Amino acid sequence: MIGWFLNVLVLRPNIMQSIETFVSTCVSAEQAVKAERIQSLWSGYGEIFKMRLEGERNRPKRISVVVKRVAPPKKKSIESNSHLRKLRSYEVETNFYETWSMRCDSKCKVPQFLGAKKLDHEWWIVLEDLDRSGYSERADDYDKTGVKLCLEWLANFHATFLGETPDGLWEIGTYWHLATRPDEHRDMGNEGGLKQAAVAIDRRLNECEFRTLV
């Protein structure tokens, strides 16, 4: 059973003030105030929250933004595969929004990148609040129409980046591929032959002629 580790973060006043100042600068607002916690990040590595924007300098007018604060637990082993993989995944995510996301049009909509800041011990990503941009609905399951819309989004996303060299992103695959999962591969059972076939499957995927971002 996979467990979600929910870690309620109590931000130190100086950290919260720094985030507020940075967000205000990113969107030219007079003030940014933490308004709503959306969720924690996996294994207590931070949180995602909304910030309410105030002030007449806010142009174009935004009511709120979404902030992803990555703050790895200090007690985590800096040598573990899991820890290093998580840090790399957040670096890749930041690079995608900062360098690549502006190429996504309305056919493969992603949140607009508004700013990012890397500190010694954590980093922040500031993004468009999609709820305020007309994407407030969340679906628990999909009918055929919903599935078709998802496939159309994926097709347009893949077509947008077909043949690109993924500078600053995962060089191979995503967060999930064999090279990132040596511990899981080692611990797999031998039933069904999947463990023995994993290397061959991984090699075939890496030899694919038509590559894109996923």
Side-chain angles (χ1 to χ4, degrees), residues 114-167:
L114 300 173
K117 186 169 185 177
K118 181 72 164 64
L119 306 176
D120 291 338
H121 56 288
E122 63 178 78
W123 60 93
W124 315 322
I125 310 172
V126 185
L127 300 170
E128 169 191 7
D129 182 357
L130 289 178
D131 284 349
R132 293 292 183 178
S133 300
Y135 300 90
S136 59
E137 295 186 15
R138 304 292 184 271
D140 295 324
D141 53 52
Y142 296 90
D143 56 15
K144 289 183 179 180
T145 300
V147 171
K148 182 180 179 181
L149 289 172
C150 291
L151 292 175
E152 287 179 351
W153 188 97
L154 285 169
N156 284 297
F157 183 86
H158 292 162
T160 298
F161 299 106
L162 187 64
E164 295 285 352
T165 300
D167 294 330

Side-chain angles (χ1 to χ4, degrees), residues 46-58:
E47 65 175 337
I48 302 173
F49 53 88
K50 290 189 180 186
M51 299 198 78
R52 185 178 69 255
L53 306 177
E54 301 174 352
E56 292 301 320
R57 291 192 295 112
N58 180 19

Side-chain angles (χ1 to χ4, degrees), residues 11-29:
L11 297 182
R12 299 189 303 274
N14 58 328
I15 291 293
M16 192 67 250
Q17 185 177 15
S18 296
I19 294 175
E20 291 173 350
T21 300
F22 177 69
V23 172
S24 298
T25 301
C26 287
V27 297
S28 298

Side-chain angles (χ1 to χ4, degrees), residues 181-198:
R181 300 287 164 173
D183 298 335
E184 289 82 351
H185 182 244
R186 181 195 62 226
D187 295 338
M188 285 178 65
N190 294 316
E191 299 82 4
L194 182 58
K195 182 175 183 177
Q196 290 74 18

